[in-house]
Amino acid sequence: GAFYYSGVAGTVANNLTLNGGTLSAGTATQIYSGTVNVSGNSSINLRDGNSAVITTAAQSITLTGVLSGSGRLTVDSVNTLTGGNAETGTLTINNLANTWNGELAFERGTVDFTSSPATSANAGHVGALTFNSLGRVIYRNINGQTLNRTGALTFAAGSIGEVLIDN
């Protein structure tokens, strides 16, 4: 099943467990401030109103609570091109206490890790990155820390992916 808040932009404080379901942006940019446990392979849909139509409007989701678990997150958005890439629709992950180590897979969209790490252990995401179609991952505010990536970096045939470090 899918979970999304259908209404004006706002903050949802509930704790969530993703175990094979979909978290969707609904009809506006949403912030989820509760913990999110990815206990099974799940999806993030950044299309308006949980739409399956890839030409609809893109939305954004921000996770400010702790992200944990080891399930795969597959991010999908719209196919609108920005600078030649389908990167509209952004999932922002912003919490230093994150322990999630699952695979991050892209169909379309951007994932932005924005926390300011106190140590290199908190710098971004260590799980596998897979670009199945089009996507971009951004690690921000590394600022003097070491980014230790232990997960595989995989590009499917014909896919386009960007890995950016933005200090």
PDB file of all heavy atoms in Angstrom, residues 128-150:
ATOM      1  N   ALA A 128      24.471   0.474  -0.741  1.00  0.00           N
ATOM      2  CA  ALA A 128      24.633   0.448  -2.193  1.00  0.00           C
ATOM      3  C   ALA A 128      23.826   1.558  -2.853  1.00  0.00           C
ATOM      4  O   ALA A 128      22.756   1.942  -2.373  1.00  0.00           O
ATOM      5  CB  ALA A 128      24.183  -0.904  -2.735  1.00  0.00           C
ATOM      6  N   LEU A 129      24.368   2.091  -3.946  1.00  0.00           N
ATOM      7  CA  LEU A 129      23.665   3.051  -4.799  1.00  0.00           C
ATOM      8  C   LEU A 129      23.454   2.403  -6.150  1.00  0.00           C
ATOM      9  O   LEU A 129      24.415   1.914  -6.766  1.00  0.00           O
ATOM     10  CB  LEU A 129      24.490   4.322  -5.008  1.00  0.00           C
ATOM     11  CG  LEU A 129      24.624   5.297  -3.863  1.00  0.00           C
ATOM     12  CD1 LEU A 129      25.570   6.432  -4.254  1.00  0.00           C
ATOM     13  CD2 LEU A 129      23.271   5.862  -3.481  1.00  0.00           C
ATOM     14  N   THR A 130      22.201   2.400  -6.632  1.00  0.00           N
ATOM     15  CA  THR A 130      21.889   1.804  -7.927  1.00  0.00           C
ATOM     16  C   THR A 130      21.107   2.798  -8.759  1.00  0.00           C
ATOM     17  O   THR A 130      20.073   3.307  -8.314  1.00  0.00           O
ATOM     18  CB  THR A 130      21.065   0.514  -7.751  1.00  0.00           C
ATOM     19  OG1 THR A 130      21.811  -0.402  -6.940  1.00  0.00           O
ATOM     20  CG2 THR A 130      20.745  -0.128  -9.087  1.00  0.00           C
ATOM     21  N   PHE A 131      21.613   3.080  -9.951  1.00  0.00           N
ATOM     22  CA  PHE A 131      20.926   3.962 -10.892  1.00  0.00           C
ATOM     23  C   PHE A 131      20.323   3.084 -11.981  1.00  0.00           C
ATOM     24  O   PHE A 131      21.036   2.547 -12.826  1.00  0.00           O
ATOM     25  CB  PHE A 131      21.901   4.983 -11.481  1.00  0.00           C
ATOM     26  CG  PHE A 131      22.438   5.942 -10.457  1.00  0.00           C
ATOM     27  CD1 PHE A 131      23.652   5.704  -9.836  1.00  0.00           C
ATOM     28  CD2 PHE A 131      21.714   7.072 -10.093  1.00  0.00           C
ATOM     29  CE1 PHE A 131      24.146   6.577  -8.880  1.00  0.00           C
ATOM     30  CE2 PHE A 131      22.200   7.948  -9.128  1.00  0.00           C
ATOM     31  CZ  PHE A 131      23.418   7.698  -8.524  1.00  0.00           C
ATOM     32  N   ASN A 132      18.998   2.913 -11.933  1.00  0.00           N
ATOM     33  CA  ASN A 132      18.296   2.088 -12.913  1.00  0.00           C
ATOM     34  C   ASN A 132      17.896   2.875 -14.144  1.00  0.00           C
ATOM     35  O   ASN A 132      17.740   2.316 -15.216  1.00  0.00           O
ATOM     36  CB  ASN A 132      17.047   1.461 -12.287  1.00  0.00           C
ATOM     37  CG  ASN A 132      17.418   0.461 -11.222  1.00  0.00           C
ATOM     38  OD1 ASN A 132      18.299  -0.357 -11.410  1.00  0.00           O
ATOM     39  ND2 ASN A 132      16.766   0.549 -10.080  1.00  0.00           N
ATOM     40  N   SER A 133      17.692   4.179 -13.985  1.00  0.00           N
ATOM     41  CA  SER A 133      17.271   5.025 -15.096  1.00  0.00           C
ATOM     42  C   SER A 133      17.996   6.361 -14.996  1.00  0.00           C
ATOM     43  O   SER A 133      19.046   6.538 -15.587  1.00  0.00           O
ATOM     44  CB  SER A 133      15.750   5.200 -15.074  1.00  0.00           C
ATOM     45  OG  SER A 133      15.317   5.944 -16.174  1.00  0.00           O
ATOM     46  N   LEU A 134      17.442   7.295 -14.209  1.00  0.00           N
ATOM     47  CA  LEU A 134      18.003   8.638 -14.065  1.00  0.00           C
ATOM     48  C   LEU A 134      17.951   9.053 -12.605  1.00  0.00           C
ATOM     49  O   LEU A 134      16.927   8.882 -11.956  1.00  0.00           O
ATOM     50  CB  LEU A 134      17.199   9.638 -14.902  1.00  0.00           C
ATOM     51  CG  LEU A 134      17.076   9.327 -16.390  1.00  0.00           C
ATOM     52  CD1 LEU A 134      15.917  10.092 -16.996  1.00  0.00           C
ATOM     53  CD2 LEU A 134      18.358   9.655 -17.099  1.00  0.00           C
ATOM     54  N   GLY A 135      19.013   9.630 -12.081  1.00  0.00           N
ATOM     55  CA  GLY A 135      18.969  10.065 -10.691  1.00  0.00           C
ATOM     56  C   GLY A 135      20.203  10.820 -10.275  1.00  0.00           C
ATOM     57  O   GLY A 135      21.207  10.862 -10.977  1.00  0.00           O
ATOM     58  N   ARG A 136      20.085  11.401  -9.092  1.00  0.00           N
ATOM     59  CA  ARG A 136      21.184  12.188  -8.533  1.00  0.00           C
ATOM     60  C   ARG A 136      21.154  12.034  -7.016  1.00  0.00           C
ATOM     61  O   ARG A 136      20.112  12.109  -6.385  1.00  0.00           O
ATOM     62  CB  ARG A 136      20.994  13.659  -8.905  1.00  0.00           C
ATOM     63  CG  ARG A 136      21.954  14.602  -8.223  1.00  0.00           C
ATOM     64  CD  ARG A 136      21.817  16.027  -8.709  1.00  0.00           C
ATOM     65  NE  ARG A 136      20.464  16.508  -8.543  1.00  0.00           N
ATOM     66  CZ  ARG A 136      20.058  17.712  -8.917  1.00  0.00           C
ATOM     67  NH1 ARG A 136      20.883  18.543  -9.488  1.00  0.00           N
ATOM     68  NH2 ARG A 136      18.817  18.083  -8.735  1.00  0.00           N
ATOM     69  N   VAL A 137      22.341  11.824  -6.421  1.00  0.00           N
ATOM     70  CA  VAL A 137      22.477  11.816  -4.968  1.00  0.00           C
ATOM     71  C   VAL A 137      23.465  12.916  -4.615  1.00  0.00           C
ATOM     72  O   VAL A 137      24.493  13.086  -5.282  1.00  0.00           O
ATOM     73  CB  VAL A 137      22.900  10.435  -4.418  1.00  0.00           C
ATOM     74  CG1 VAL A 137      24.260  10.008  -4.924  1.00  0.00           C
ATOM     75  CG2 VAL A 137      22.862  10.410  -2.896  1.00  0.00           C
ATOM     76  N   ILE A 138      23.129  13.686  -3.580  1.00  0.00           N
ATOM     77  CA  ILE A 138      23.965  14.800  -3.140  1.00  0.00           C
ATOM     78  C   ILE A 138      24.300  14.603  -1.668  1.00  0.00           C
ATOM     79  O   ILE A 138      23.408  14.380  -0.848  1.00  0.00           O
ATOM     80  CB  ILE A 138      23.247  16.153  -3.317  1.00  0.00           C
ATOM     81  CG1 ILE A 138      22.792  16.351  -4.763  1.00  0.00           C
ATOM     82  CG2 ILE A 138      24.158  17.310  -2.871  1.00  0.00           C
ATOM     83  CD1 ILE A 138      21.857  17.535  -4.940  1.00  0.00           C
ATOM     84  N   TYR A 139      25.586  14.689  -1.340  1.00  0.00           N
ATOM     85  CA  TYR A 139      26.031  14.671   0.049  1.00  0.00           C
ATOM     86  C   TYR A 139      26.473  16.090   0.367  1.00  0.00           C
ATOM     87  O   TYR A 139      27.424  16.595  -0.216  1.00  0.00           O
ATOM     88  CB  TYR A 139      27.200  13.704   0.233  1.00  0.00           C
ATOM     89  CG  TYR A 139      26.845  12.271  -0.084  1.00  0.00           C
ATOM     90  CD1 TYR A 139      27.249  11.685  -1.272  1.00  0.00           C
ATOM     91  CD2 TYR A 139      26.090  11.515   0.810  1.00  0.00           C
ATOM     92  CE1 TYR A 139      26.922  10.372  -1.563  1.00  0.00           C
ATOM     93  CE2 TYR A 139      25.760  10.206   0.521  1.00  0.00           C
ATOM     94  CZ  TYR A 139      26.178   9.640  -0.671  1.00  0.00           C
ATOM     95  OH  TYR A 139      25.845   8.345  -0.952  1.00  0.00           O
ATOM     96  N   ARG A 140      25.783  16.755   1.293  1.00  0.00           N
ATOM     97  CA  ARG A 140      26.076  18.146   1.629  1.00  0.00           C
ATOM     98  C   ARG A 140      26.734  18.253   3.004  1.00  0.00           C
ATOM     99  O   ARG A 140      26.567  17.393   3.857  1.00  0.00           O
ATOM    100  CB  ARG A 140      24.792  18.978   1.655  1.00  0.00           C
ATOM    101  CG  ARG A 140      24.134  19.078   0.311  1.00  0.00           C
ATOM    102  CD  ARG A 140      22.996  20.093   0.343  1.00  0.00           C
ATOM    103  NE  ARG A 140      22.181  19.991  -0.835  1.00  0.00           N
ATOM    104  CZ  ARG A 140      22.431  20.630  -1.971  1.00  0.00           C
ATOM    105  NH1 ARG A 140      23.460  21.429  -2.065  1.00  0.00           N
ATOM    106  NH2 ARG A 140      21.624  20.489  -3.006  1.00  0.00           N
ATOM    107  N   ASN A 141      27.432  19.367   3.195  1.00  0.00           N
ATOM    108  CA  ASN A 141      27.985  19.738   4.503  1.00  0.00           C
ATOM    109  C   ASN A 141      28.984  18.734   5.050  1.00  0.00           C
ATOM    110  O   ASN A 141      29.062  18.531   6.260  1.00  0.00           O
ATOM    111  CB  ASN A 141      26.858  19.971   5.518  1.00  0.00           C
ATOM    112  CG  ASN A 141      25.857  20.981   5.033  1.00  0.00           C
ATOM    113  OD1 ASN A 141      26.222  22.010   4.471  1.00  0.00           O
ATOM    114  ND2 ASN A 141      24.581  20.692   5.199  1.00  0.00           N
ATOM    115  N   ILE A 142      29.741  18.094   4.180  1.00  0.00           N
ATOM    116  CA  ILE A 142      30.761  17.150   4.633  1.00  0.00           C
ATOM    117  C   ILE A 142      31.831  17.904   5.419  1.00  0.00           C
ATOM    118  O   ILE A 142      32.267  17.470   6.470  1.00  0.00           O
ATOM    119  CB  ILE A 142      31.362  16.363   3.450  1.00  0.00           C
ATOM    120  CG1 ILE A 142      30.261  15.591   2.712  1.00  0.00           C
ATOM    121  CG2 ILE A 142      32.468  15.427   3.907  1.00  0.00           C
ATOM    122  CD1 ILE A 142      29.499  14.610   3.580  1.00  0.00           C
ATOM    123  N   ASN A 143      32.251  19.052   4.922  1.00  0.00           N
ATOM    124  CA  ASN A 143      33.075  20.040   5.635  1.00  0.00           C
ATOM    125  C   ASN A 143      34.175  19.443   6.508  1.00  0.00           C
ATOM    126  O   ASN A 143      34.104  19.459   7.727  1.00  0.00           O
ATOM    127  CB  ASN A 143      32.183  20.957   6.470  1.00  0.00           C
ATOM    128  CG  ASN A 143      32.897  22.250   6.817  1.00  0.00           C
ATOM    129  OD1 ASN A 143      33.813  22.651   6.121  1.00  0.00           O
ATOM    130  ND2 ASN A 143      32.461  22.894   7.881  1.00  0.00           N
ATOM    131  N   GLY A 144      35.204  18.917   5.860  1.00  0.00           N
ATOM    132  CA  GLY A 144      36.357  18.414   6.604  1.00  0.00           C
ATOM    133  C   GLY A 144      36.252  16.974   7.040  1.00  0.00           C
ATOM    134  O   GLY A 144      37.175  16.446   7.650  1.00  0.00           O
ATOM    135  N   GLN A 145      35.128  16.319   6.768  1.00  0.00           N
ATOM    136  CA  GLN A 145      34.964  14.922   7.156  1.00  0.00           C
ATOM    137  C   GLN A 145      35.315  14.009   5.989  1.00  0.00           C
ATOM    138  O   GLN A 145      35.387  14.444   4.837  1.00  0.00           O
ATOM    139  CB  GLN A 145      33.526  14.654   7.611  1.00  0.00           C
ATOM    140  CG  GLN A 145      33.086  15.467   8.786  1.00  0.00           C
ATOM    141  CD  GLN A 145      33.946  15.232  10.015  1.00  0.00           C
ATOM    142  OE1 GLN A 145      34.417  14.134  10.256  1.00  0.00           O
ATOM    143  NE2 GLN A 145      34.165  16.279  10.788  1.00  0.00           N
ATOM    144  N   THR A 146      35.507  12.746   6.254  1.00  0.00           N
ATOM    145  CA  THR A 146      35.766  11.744   5.233  1.00  0.00           C
ATOM    146  C   THR A 146      34.457  11.043   4.902  1.00  0.00           C
ATOM    147  O   THR A 146      33.737  10.616   5.798  1.00  0.00           O
ATOM    148  CB  THR A 146      36.791  10.707   5.740  1.00  0.00           C
ATOM    149  OG1 THR A 146      37.988  11.395   6.073  1.00  0.00           O
ATOM    150  CG2 THR A 146      37.061   9.644   4.710  1.00  0.00           C
ATOM    151  N   LEU A 147      34.161  10.942   3.627  1.00  0.00           N
ATOM    152  CA  LEU A 147      32.960  10.239   3.179  1.00  0.00           C
ATOM    153  C   LEU A 147      33.361   8.796   2.871  1.00  0.00           C
ATOM    154  O   LEU A 147      34.062   8.529   1.892  1.00  0.00           O
ATOM    155  CB  LEU A 147      32.377  10.919   1.946  1.00  0.00           C
ATOM    156  CG  LEU A 147      31.113  10.319   1.370  1.00  0.00           C
ATOM    157  CD1 LEU A 147      29.981  10.352   2.396  1.00  0.00           C
ATOM    158  CD2 LEU A 147      30.709  11.060   0.113  1.00  0.00           C
ATOM    159  N   ASN A 148      32.969   7.886   3.744  1.00  0.00           N
ATOM    160  CA  ASN A 148      33.317   6.469   3.585  1.00  0.00           C
ATOM    161  C   ASN A 148      32.146   5.728   2.967  1.00  0.00           C
ATOM    162  O   ASN A 148      31.153   5.471   3.631  1.00  0.00           O
ATOM    163  CB  ASN A 148      33.665   5.841   4.938  1.00  0.00           C
ATOM    164  CG  ASN A 148      34.937   6.391   5.504  1.00  0.00           C
ATOM    165  OD1 ASN A 148      35.933   6.479   4.816  1.00  0.00           O
ATOM    166  ND2 ASN A 148      34.894   6.797   6.765  1.00  0.00           N
ATOM    167  N   ARG A 149      32.286   5.360   1.715  1.00  0.00           N
ATOM    168  CA  ARG A 149      31.243   4.595   1.024  1.00  0.00           C
ATOM    169  C   ARG A 149      31.696   3.147   0.926  1.00  0.00           C
ATOM    170  O   ARG A 149      32.753   2.865   0.364  1.00  0.00           O
ATOM    171  CB  ARG A 149      31.023   5.161  -0.380  1.00  0.00           C
ATOM    172  CG  ARG A 149      30.486   6.546  -0.400  1.00  0.00           C
ATOM    173  CD  ARG A 149      29.169   6.752  -1.122  1.00  0.00           C
ATOM    174  NE  ARG A 149      28.685   5.628  -1.855  1.00  0.00           N
ATOM    175  CZ  ARG A 149      27.689   4.849  -1.423  1.00  0.00           C
ATOM    176  NH1 ARG A 149      27.081   5.096  -0.286  1.00  0.00           N
ATOM    177  NH2 ARG A 149      27.284   3.834  -2.130  1.00  0.00           N
ATOM    178  N   THR A 150      30.924   2.233   1.484  1.00  0.00           N
ATOM    179  CA  THR A 150      31.280   0.819   1.425  1.00  0.00           C
ATOM    180  C   THR A 150      30.363   0.046   0.486  1.00  0.00           C
ATOM    181  O   THR A 150      30.696  -1.057   0.085  1.00  0.00           O
ATOM    182  CB  THR A 150      31.220   0.187   2.826  1.00  0.00           C
ATOM    183  OG1 THR A 150      29.923   0.414   3.375  1.00  0.00           O
ATOM    184  CG2 THR A 150      32.275   0.794   3.739  1.00  0.00           C
TER     185      THR A 150
END
